[in-house]
């Protein structure tokens, strides 16, 4: 790690070395994805059309999937694209690419973990949780064998390495090995497990314990990639609906609250509850629904957050967040209470409470929420408009804000590395990562 990490006050960038993984573990995975003859999963129609026209590879870098199932996790693509952009075009980038690990503050591992996982789920889902016959596991193993064999990993124990794990099931088999690293995740929902004692008692939901691999101390919460187009404040029109939701009614874990909310709200005047998936038809419905509604419901699903929140922000639809365990991107820089309504689950499930609460907001308050939302829409924007993401990034966009959050971790990373060095041989210290 470079000395720049000790002088953060005078630093306007972070030095990043890109680990020399083979292309087969990033852009090669996209080529493999597009070479599939067909993907039958829900939402894949748009990618099958792209395949039929062979329009995915008309540039040097393959495009990222448009299937909403995968596109929502595309941070890995835009972060690498920024780092591969020629330095003379990167004046607006917070990350400064260096070409020696010794000069780096952090080591970026350019593994497209989401694409790898989704390839496996799309071709042989039955072996996803297994190791034998699992190509995703083989790729995870290849990544870890490579990085753990480098001097950079051996010096730091991986603490200054950065992995993008936006898909909750990404790198499922090697999480214990990457635990010391900086993990870029959309939330901690994919890192829960059921307490075995609670499970044996038939309780699969209330006694959830968190893996010690993730922590707000060392990891960074990043945005989902929004799927709906941006609505400018100047384009906003009068909204006819009070509250809108589109998604699956039935979920698991903390998402069980969604089914209860659905039953409470579905027949309320001014409320639109639509069950569906953001395929081509569903996307148009979502655009219309979110742009026509004052508030957009964001209940917990299989994980505490979802892409829906960022679609609402881009649609200037005031988020109503009912997810007690949610973690959000860039907090400290962004105050979500400036444009969102947070409601405890137990209050939301009281008959008539939520609708009465939302109707209590005045037009002036709602207008202020939307003005504040308009100021932060760019924070959640990954796409820089360049093929492959290789080009200047938006100065106030998601990629730069992610690197700023990693930059804030540098003193802690340096301290952890120094503490590890002074331990006597064969001394093991339990990992203590919990943070609220």
């Amino acid at each position: 790690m470079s000395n720049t990490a000790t002088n953060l006050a005078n630093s306007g960038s972070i030095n990043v070395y890109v680990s020399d993984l083979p292309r087969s573990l990033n852009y090669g995975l996209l080529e493999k994805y597009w070479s599939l003859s067909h993907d039958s999963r829900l939402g894949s129609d748009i990618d099958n059309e792209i395949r039929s026209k062979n329009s995915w590879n008309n540039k040097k870098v393959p495009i990222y999937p448009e299937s909403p199932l995968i596109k929502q996790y595309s941070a890995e693509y835009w972060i690498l694209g920024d780092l591969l952009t020629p330095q003379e075009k990167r004046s607006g980038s917070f990350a400064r690419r260096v070409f020696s690990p010794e000069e780096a503050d952090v080591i970026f591992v350019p593994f497209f973990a989401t694409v790898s996982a989704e390839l496996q789920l799309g071709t042989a889902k039955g072996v996803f949780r297994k190791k034998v016959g699992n190509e995703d596991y083989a790729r995870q193993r290849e990544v870890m064998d490579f990085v753990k064999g480098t001097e950079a990993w051996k010096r730091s124990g991986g603490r200054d390495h950065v992995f993008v794990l936006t898909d909750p099931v990404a790198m499922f088999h090697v999480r214990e090995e990457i635990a010391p690293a900086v993990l870029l995740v959309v939330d901690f929902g994919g890192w829960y497990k059921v307490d075995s004692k609670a499970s044996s008692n038939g309780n699969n939901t209330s006694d959830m314990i968190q893996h010690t691999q993730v922590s707000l101390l060392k990891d960074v919460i990043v945005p989902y990639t929004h799927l709906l187009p941006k609505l400018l404040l100047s384009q906003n029109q009068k909204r006819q609906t009070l509250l809108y939701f589109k998604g699956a009614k039935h979920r698991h874990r903390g998402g069980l609250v969604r089914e209860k909310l659905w039953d409470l709200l579905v027949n309320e005047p001014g409320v639109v509850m639509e069950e569906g998936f953001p395929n081509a038809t569903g996307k148009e419905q979502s655009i219309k629904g979110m742009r026509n509604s004052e508030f957009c419901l964001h209940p917990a699903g299989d994980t505490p957050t979802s892409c829906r929140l960022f679609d609402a922000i881009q649609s200037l639809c005031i988020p109503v967040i009912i997810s007690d365990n949610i973690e959000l991107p860039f907090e400290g820089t962004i105050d979500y209470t400036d444009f969102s309504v947070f409601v405890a689950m137990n209050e939301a499930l009281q008959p008539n409470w939520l609708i009465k609460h939302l109707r209590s907001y005045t037009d002036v308050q709602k207008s202020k929420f939307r003005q504040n939302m308009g100021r932060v829409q760019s924070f959640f924007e990954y796409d820089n408009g360049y093929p492959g993401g290789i080009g200047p990034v938006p100065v106030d966009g998601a990629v730069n804000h992610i690197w700023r959050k990693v930059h804030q971790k540098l003193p802690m990373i340096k301290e952890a590395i120094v503490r590890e060095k002074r331990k006597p041989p064969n001394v093991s210290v339990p990992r203590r990562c919990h943070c609220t």
Side-chain angles (χ1 to χ4, degrees):
M1 179 175 290
S2 73
N3 292 330
T4 59
T6 64
N7 190 23
L8 302 184
N10 298 320
S11 176
S13 63
I14 183 171
N15 290 339
V16 181
Y17 175 77
V18 180
S19 186
D20 194 23
L21 290 184
R23 179 185 169 88
S24 61
L25 293 171
N26 39 70
Y27 294 122
L29 288 174
L30 289 176
E31 291 163 353
K32 185 179 180 68
Y33 173 82
W34 290 115
S35 69
L36 295 175
S37 60
H38 187 78
D39 189 343
S40 60
R41 288 180 296 173
L42 196 63
S44 296
D45 293 352
I46 188 169
D47 284 350
N48 289 329
E49 183 178 346
I50 291 171
R51 286 188 183 95
S52 69
K53 296 178 180 178
N54 199 30
S55 57
W56 58 269
N57 198 25
N58 54 4
K59 305 294 181 184
K60 291 183 180 179
V61 175
I63 65 172
Y64 204 80
E66 285 292 323
S67 165
L69 189 69
I70 306 174
K71 184 178 180 179
Q72 63 181 332
Y73 301 126
S74 67
E76 56 195 12
Y77 185 73
W78 303 107
I79 293 172
L80 181 57
D82 171 46
L83 291 168
L84 296 184
T85 299
Q87 193 60 42
E88 64 271 16
K89 296 182 179 180
R90 302 188 67 247
S91 59
S93 296
F94 190 81
R96 175 176 174 266
R97 187 179 179 186
V98 296
F99 294 88
S100 166
E102 290 73 27
E103 298 177 51
D105 295 313
V106 292
I107 314 293
F108 179 70
V109 182
F111 176 44
F112 285 179
T114 286
V115 179
S116 180
E118 294 297 336
L119 267 170
Q120 187 64 49
L121 290 169
T123 56
K125 182 178 180 179
V127 297
F128 184 76
R129 301 284 178 176
K130 304 174 183 178
K131 295 181 179 180
V132 177
N134 184 342
E135 292 184 7
D136 178 41
Y137 169 70
R139 290 187 287 264
Q140 294 175 38
R141 189 72 268 147
E142 183 180 356
V143 171
M144 296 313 300
D145 290 347
F146 179 90
V147 296
K148 291 174 79 171
T150 63
E151 289 303 314
W153 183 281
K154 293 172 183 176
R155 279 196 303 269
S156 70
R159 288 169 178 80
D160 56 357
H161 285 54
V162 179
F163 292 83
V164 187
L165 303 182
T166 42
D167 192 322
V169 297
M171 299 195 81
F172 171 80
H173 290 282
V174 295
R175 290 185 169 183
E176 191 70 34
E177 294 177 66
I178 60 176
V182 179
L183 309 179
L184 309 185
V185 296
V186 291
D187 59 32
F188 294 153
W191 297 79
Y192 286 94
K193 62 182 180 182
V194 178
D195 183 298
S196 58
K197 181 179 179 181
S199 181
S200 65
N201 292 334
N203 186 345
N204 288 321
T205 57
S206 61
D207 290 277
M208 306 292 283
I209 59 174
Q210 193 169 347
H211 282 288
T212 54
Q213 289 102 314
V214 286
S215 164
L216 289 177
L217 289 173
K218 70 177 187 67
D219 302 318
V220 175
I221 304 295
V222 305
Y224 284 81
T225 303
H226 63 84
L227 302 177
L228 303 187
K230 181 178 180 178
L231 178 72
L232 300 175
L233 275 168
S234 60
Q235 299 170 314
N236 186 58
Q237 297 181 356
K238 183 172 177 61
R239 294 167 181 254
Q240 306 296 327
T241 303
L242 177 68
L243 181 64
Y244 178 76
F245 173 81
K246 184 178 182 63
K249 176 180 178 180
H250 305 285
R251 294 285 84 182
H252 309 290
R253 295 180 179 174
L256 293 174
V257 68
R258 188 183 294 185
E259 188 170 345
K260 297 177 182 178
L261 278 169
W262 189 291
D263 292 337
L264 278 174
L265 297 172
V266 67
N267 293 318
E268 285 283 346
V271 175
V272 177
M273 305 289 285
E274 295 179 340
E275 189 156 17
F277 189 80
N279 51 20
T281 303
K283 182 177 180 180
E284 292 304 315
Q285 291 174 339
S286 293
I287 292 172
K288 180 180 178 181
M290 285 192 169
R291 292 187 177 190
N292 195 45
S293 185
E294 299 277 13
F295 298 94
C296 282
L297 189 65
H298 183 77
D302 290 339
T303 55
T305 189
S306 73
C307 178
R308 187 179 297 105
L309 172 62
F310 305 97
D311 284 337
I313 292 170
Q314 297 304 322
S315 303
L316 297 175
C317 186
I318 302 164
V320 179
I321 299 174
I322 306 174
S323 181
D324 294 351
N325 296 318
I326 198 169
E327 301 293 350
L328 296 164
F330 316 139
E331 288 197 274
T333 303
I334 295 175
D335 183 348
Y336 284 80
T337 62
D338 286 344
F339 56 86
S340 305
V341 177
F342 289 85
V343 178
M345 287 187 185
N346 62 344
E347 289 184 323
L349 293 176
Q350 296 176 24
N352 304 317
W353 188 94
L354 182 61
I355 297 303
K356 183 178 180 180
H357 180 64
L358 297 182
R359 292 193 188 280
S360 72
Y361 285 92
T362 66
D363 289 342
V364 172
Q365 288 174 307
K366 289 181 285 189
S367 177
K368 186 65 175 177
F369 274 144
R370 276 191 285 275
Q371 290 173 27
N372 291 338
M373 222 183 309
R375 295 189 184 101
V376 299
Q377 283 175 313
S378 64
F379 283 51
F380 309 113
E381 186 66 62
Y382 285 105
D383 194 334
N384 60 4
Y386 289 85
I390 298 177
V393 295
V395 174
D396 215 20
V399 172
N400 272 352
H401 282 290
I402 289 169
W403 284 121
R404 288 187 180 102
K405 292 298 286 188
V406 176
H407 186 267
Q408 293 172 12
K409 312 288 184 185
L410 294 184
M412 183 278 300
I413 293 171
K414 185 177 180 65
E415 179 180 343
I417 293 171
V418 171
R419 289 180 69 247
E420 185 69 20
K421 283 171 61 178
R422 54 88 170 158
K423 286 193 328 190
N426 302 317
V427 171
S428 176
V429 178
R431 204 175 282 124
R432 300 183 182 95
C433 289
H434 289 295
C435 175
T436 54

